[in-house]
């Protein structure tokens, strides 16, 4: 199960590869966020800056793409 070594978050991880879809003040901080089940499987993705092709690649290889904790910003992710 993937989790953040700094804060322990295991529910969602973000990808640092994709910028947010909108440069406004209310924009989400990441262009792609993956939501994980308690078993560590990728359940859903919030795609707000990545293309559908990029999201498909991230779904197929989440350990490569989801490298940032959206809660604390750490990139110390355990897979």
């Amino acid at each position: 199960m993937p989790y953040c070594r700094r804060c322990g978050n295991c529910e969602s991880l973000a990808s640092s590869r994709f910028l947010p879809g909108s440069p406004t003040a209310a924009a989400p901080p990441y262009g792609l966020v993956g939501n994980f089940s308690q078993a560590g499987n990728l359940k859903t993705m919030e795609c707000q800056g990545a293309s559908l092709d990029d999201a498909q690649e991230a779904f197929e290889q989440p350990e490569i793409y989801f490298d940032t904790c959206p809660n604390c910003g750490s990139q110390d992710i355990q897979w």
Side-chain angles (χ1 to χ4, degrees):
M1 172 191 319
Y3 69 94
C4 174
R5 289 183 179 160
R6 182 187 292 167
C7 73
N9 168 37
C10 61
E11 294 178 6
S12 65
L13 295 174
S15 178
S16 63
R17 294 180 181 217
F18 307 105
L19 297 174
S22 173
T24 63
Y30 301 100
L32 184 64
V33 175
N35 300 303
F36 294 83
S37 69
Q38 290 183 349
N41 300 317
L42 185 58
K43 293 188 311 184
T44 61
M45 290 189 291
E46 300 170 29
C47 183
Q48 300 176 2
S51 71
L52 291 178
D53 288 337
D54 291 334
Q56 179 65 36
E57 266 189 63
F59 182 79
E60 292 171 2
Q61 298 178 320
E63 65 279 355
I64 294 172
Y65 284 84
F66 296 105
D67 60 354
T68 305
C69 176
N71 293 345
C72 71
S74 173
Q75 290 191 314
D76 191 6
I77 305 300
Q78 171 66 45
W79 277 91

